[in-house]
Structures are given as structure tokens and as C-alpha cells.
Amino acid sequence: MGHLNLPSSKRNPKQWKLLDLITFFFFGIVSLFFLLVFTPLGDSLAASGRQTLLMSSSSDPQQRQKMVALMESGRQTAMEICPAEYVDYMPCEDPKRNSQLSREMNYYRERHCPSPEETLLCLIPPPDGYKIPVRWPESMRKIWHDNMPYNKIADRKGHQGWMKEEGPYFIFPGGGTMFPEGAAQYIEKLRQYIPITGGTLRTALDMGCGVASFGGYLLAENILTLSFAPRDSHKAQIQFALERGIPALVAMLGTRRLPFPAYSFDLMHCSRCLIPFTAYNATYFIEVDRLLRPGGYFVVSGPPVQWAKQDKEWADLQAVARALCYELIVVDGNTAIWKKQTGDTCLPNQNEFGLELCEDPDDPSHAWYFTLKKCVSRAHIAKEELGVGNMPKWPQRLTTAPSRAIQMKNGRDVFEADSRRWMRRVAYYKKSLHLKLGTPSIRNIMDMNAFLGGFAAAIISDPIWVMNVVPPRNPLTLDIIFDRGLIGVYHDWCEPFSTYPRTYDLMHVVNIESLLKNRCSLVDLIVEVDRILRPEGTFIVRDLPEVIEKINRIARAVRWTTSIHDKEPESHGRDKILIATKTLWKPSATVQ
């Protein structure tokens, strides 16, 4: 590019200004080209542009439908990565969404899911520095700091023995607010009043659990504790629990029943959980009563038990317990222990809270988006065979057909056939498909369509625990699973699950399309499985060949490696088995 060849004496200021602007523009374009092509700024701007396009595509129903169709057909080879700020994203417990909701009864801390059209179609990235988790049982004591680099609990609760940072790890000494000397010592205290050993107690619920050390230490006593807490100011407490390999769930006791059937737990525990059990006409104590087995134990440590300036709250708590005929076993310092009666309820009696029996009909095992009741359920109230001490002890209860199974049509035969079927299938999984069941690589397992819990029962001798999921549109068999001494939850797979990303090592499902029933997309479900699975985690699907092939096409788009296998020779039907492995990828390595 040449300049105008004018004598210098004839160049006026306007011509100088035009030439300077042209030159400046030219060199600016060249400089910008080098910045975009040869520096990280270009990658950053390109990623930002893709993310903006991604978010707008997810919010556009037509564009979203096109993306789903491309994935189902196998024509989309790689799904986009979510923005970095979604590293710990839980769609139904999104603080940005839920903070706009009512605070009454902690409604805003419960599940509130986006519509299917609003759900993101992208892969959740791991945090910078993510490593394959520390293996069980070492993970009970320490985890990688970089896998969830949140120091808030360590800073605030370290002096109480919750956790502390030490080099590249978070260390868990085993303490808690009400047991700073350690959960083991606290459990020894409870042992004086509760049959901790011997198999009488098996299933427990720890409410407002912190980092779940109480439940973790009860595992040594063969008591399987499901710990829950909301996503609140103690950021990532349930994520820490699951990273440690301890059963846990994000949940809130607010306006709805917890997602468990009636009479699920032999022991319920609150250590400074701050649940106002007597508020709202004792609604929360009534929910405890719904979930606790006859003859079960209810432990409250901390406020309001003999707590300064909470005399009225403590008196009210005792009054509600008396109204429900709970026996006060002991008050030891700031710990109170009650035992639930095993016979008929003592209601309706005169009581200062006006507690009454619910009107019929009321099924206390309905608990998926079911509003809490301010009355005591009548159904099954005298079922003494479900009571603690009347059921077979652990481990016999695992293989004994429970009374709630026998009530089904041909229930005993169905139960025994299901148990034999899963023993045969698991043996095939291990010997012929070489799954890593029974190795330190697999600790946290989810059975997405558990029925009677046969899969979990067949691997009970492995160093694992299983979250058994029963969809609420299926037969409600979750009570049978709890009667066997296993744990689980109701969940509809057309919605995201209440857990953090990267929290399960293995997920397993039989008849996956029955979970959707033409109500939602298989692509959305696979993306949700990817969110839940840890890198290098395993997804097992048993289904018809055409369904397996559809999942295999989608799997390529979410960067899984897959293999398809025949079923075990002894089984009938056309089923195939797909085994998928989630790869460990880093966002910086996926920029295209």
C-alpha cells in the first residue's frame, strides 16, 4: 500500500490525518489477528462465543430440539462444554433460581427444577486440578483438596474437628459440632442406651449431617446411614460426604415429605440440625414419626435439649413426644433419646398441640412432591411386624422376604426369583464382563430402577454402598428395599437428581426407556448421568438391542467409550448390555 506522492509542501493537515488513520487501522487489524491466533486471549474469546451460543441454543426450544435430534442420530460428534461457573451445578438446587422463592418453611431450599426446555444441554466440566478421587477406605479420612476447593467449612468448623486443610488434602478427623472429640466417642456414648451392635439396628437417617462423619463411623457397626442436608451456607457439605464415600443426599425438610416411604429407618438422628420439630403444629416431628419404624430410636443432640435460653422449645419438644407416646429413654447432657412405641397410637388424646389422626385415605408411603401433613397417618399404624426388634436382624433381613413384599401378588415367589436373578447377573458382570465391582475403584453406586433392590443385595459383600432409586410412577417398592436393610430414594428421572456433579462411581439401569415413558428426552437423561458420574466412572444399561444402539449413539456425543455385550446365557429375552466409561477430559483440552 503506497502513500499519495505529493510534495511535502502541498500535504495539508487533513491528508495527514487520513493517512495516519489508514495506517493505524491496518496495523490494528494485523495486531488483532496475531492476538487471536497466537495467544490464550483468542481461545478465551472463542470459548466465550461458543458458550454464549450454547446458552442461547439451550433456551431456544426449536434449536434445542435440533440438538437432541442430532445426538439421537449420532450426527453430533461432541457436545459442548458448560461454562466454568457450572462446575458444581445442581439444576434443581440452583441458588440463583431458588433465591427468588419464598422463605416460609424453607421453601426456597427445596427442589425447584427448571423445565425440560430450560435444562442445559452441555457437559459439566471438572474443576482445575481435578484428580481421580482417593479410594475407599482411605477416602473416609482424606480427599483431594482440588476436587472441591472450598475452604469455608474447614475455616469455620476446623476447631470442632469437622475437617481441615493439610497439604494437597482435606483431612477429616471425625468430629462434629456436638462431638468435637470425634464421632467414635459420641457413638460410644449412644451405645449405653441404644442397641448399636448386634444387628437390631440397620437403617439410619442423619438430618443436617455436616460432612457425615456420624454416618461414616456407624458403617463399622453395620448400620447403613443415609445423611442429608440442604445446599446452604455450608457450601458443598454433601459433596464432601460423597467424595469421602459416605451415603448422602441433598435434601431439605421444608414444605414437603422427604422422599422416603413410611417406616424406613430404625434410627433417626439430629446433631445440632436446628430443625424446629415443634413448629407449624409439630409438622416436622410428625414427619419424623412417619419415617421412624415402630420401636425405633430418635436422637436429638444440641438445641433445644437443656440449652440456654431455649426452655420453652425444650418443653415443647418433650410435650410433642409425649403426645405421640414416645418413651424418653435418657437425657444425657445436651442429648435426648426417645423410643417410638410399637403398638397402636395413643391418639386421639388430649394434647396441647391438637395433634389428630389423618382422615382416610392416607398412604404414608406417598412421598414424591407430597405436601407435609399436620396430622398423624393412620395407615399401618399397628404393623408390629415392621417394628425394630420384630424384624429379622441384619444380615438375615437382607434375604428374608419382608411382610410388605409378601403383600404383593405372588410376593414371596417374586422376591425369591428376583434375588436369584441378580445373583446370576452379578456373577456374569464380574467374571465375563470384567467389571471392577469388588475393587477399590468402585465405592458409590446408584441403581436407577431398583425394583426390590436385588442388584444391591447381590453385591452386598463388596466394599460399596448403593443408592436404590424407585421412580414414583412405578410400583412403590422402596419400602421393601428399606425393610431388607438397604437404602434408597424416590426419584422421577424426567428431572435432575439431587446430588452434586461427579459423585458416583457406577450407575446401573434396567429398561431405561420405562423411566421416561415418552414424557422426556433420553438425551437429557444421558447428560444427567454424565453430570453425576465421576470421570472414569461406569454406566451399565440392560435393555433391548434397539435401545442399546440409541444410547450408544448418544454416548459418543458425551465423550464416553462404550462396548456392547450379550446377556448371561441363562437369561431369557433379547436384552443386550452396554458398558460405558466416562473419560477424564479437561476443558482446555476440548477447545476446537
Side-chain angles (χ1 to χ4, degrees), residues 140-314:
M140 174 83 168
R141 190 182 68 86
K142 68 178 184 180
I143 64 172
W144 294 113
H145 174 277
D146 286 349
N147 284 11
M148 46 199 68
Y150 309 121
N151 289 42
K152 188 172 184 178
I153 297 179
D155 294 340
R156 291 188 176 185
K157 301 290 186 178
H159 67 286
Q160 297 173 348
W162 283 41
M163 56 187 287
K164 60 183 179 179
E165 186 178 358
E166 190 174 288
Y169 300 103
F170 278 124
I171 304 298
F172 298 86
T177 302
M178 295 306 300
F179 42 92
E181 301 302 317
Q185 182 175 324
Y186 175 68
I187 291 169
E188 285 302 313
K189 171 183 173 179
L190 300 182
R191 197 191 303 272
Q192 301 174 62
Y193 316 109
I194 296 175
I196 296 290
T197 57
T200 300
L201 302 182
R202 169 61 180 173
T203 57
L205 184 67
D206 189 15
M207 301 176 281
C209 61
V211 293
S213 289
F214 177 72
Y217 278 83
L218 278 177
L219 290 171
E221 307 291 347
N222 275 325
I223 295 178
L224 186 58
T225 304
L226 180 52
S227 302
F228 82 84
R231 180 171 188 162
D232 61 6
S233 58
H234 288 160
K235 186 172 183 179
Q237 53 186 322
I238 292 300
Q239 192 176 17
F240 283 122
L242 289 164
E243 186 79 359
R244 298 175 70 189
I246 301 172
L249 178 74
V250 176
M252 180 71 205
L253 185 51
T255 67
R256 310 180 190 122
R257 285 176 173 175
L258 292 170
F260 314 113
Y263 315 134
S264 293
F265 299 100
D266 309 326
L267 169 67
M268 295 183 67
H269 175 259
C270 158
S271 174
R272 201 178 174 85
C273 67
L274 303 181
I275 294 173
F277 291 108
T278 61
Y280 310 106
N281 202 40
T283 296
Y284 295 140
F285 202 124
I286 291 171
E287 177 65 354
V288 169
D289 185 70
R290 182 183 74 86
L291 295 175
L292 187 62
R293 288 186 185 278
Y297 295 87
F298 179 39
V299 179
V300 178
S301 288
V305 179
Q306 299 195 137
W307 205 263
K309 300 181 181 180
Q310 295 202 24
D311 293 344
K312 183 183 185 304
E313 291 83 352
W314 172 220

Side-chain angles (χ1 to χ4, degrees), residues 580-592:
T581 301
K582 177 178 176 177
T583 56
L584 174 57
W585 47 263
K586 300 295 176 66
S588 59
T590 61
V591 175
Q592 298 176 358

Side-chain angles (χ1 to χ4, degrees), residues 61-81:
Q62 291 185 340
Q63 185 64 27
R64 193 180 195 283
Q65 191 173 358
K66 290 180 182 178
M67 292 172 64
V68 168
L70 286 172
M71 290 185 66
E72 288 179 338
S73 66
R75 287 178 290 162
Q76 180 160 330
T77 57
M79 179 172 278
E80 290 285 358
I81 309 303

Side-chain angles (χ1 to χ4, degrees), residues 16 45 65 73 83 87 101 130 189 225 232 252 282 298 330 332 334 362 375-376 397 407 425 493 512 517 544 549 564:
W16 274 113
L45 290 172
Q65 191 173 358
S73 66
V87 64
L101 303 174
Y130 182 86
K189 171 183 173 179
T225 304
D232 61 6
M252 180 71 205
F298 179 39
V330 71
D332 185 341
N334 298 119
D362 172 65
C375 55
V376 182
R397 69 189 273 185
Q407 291 171 7
R425 288 177 173 181
W493 285 108
I512 191 170
K517 296 181 178 177
L544 297 175
E549 182 53 41
I564 299 174

Side-chain angles (χ1 to χ4, degrees), residues 494-528:
C494 282
E495 296 183 3
F497 193 80
S498 286
T499 192
Y500 283 86
R502 304 172 301 280
T503 45
Y504 283 82
D505 301 299
L506 185 146
M507 297 178 70
H508 174 272
V509 63
V510 174
N511 195 7
I512 191 170
E513 287 201 322
S514 72
L515 307 180
L516 310 179
K517 296 181 178 177
N518 299 317
R519 297 178 298 120
C520 47
S521 163
L522 183 59
V523 168
D524 283 318
L525 180 54
I526 297 301
V527 172
E528 173 64 1

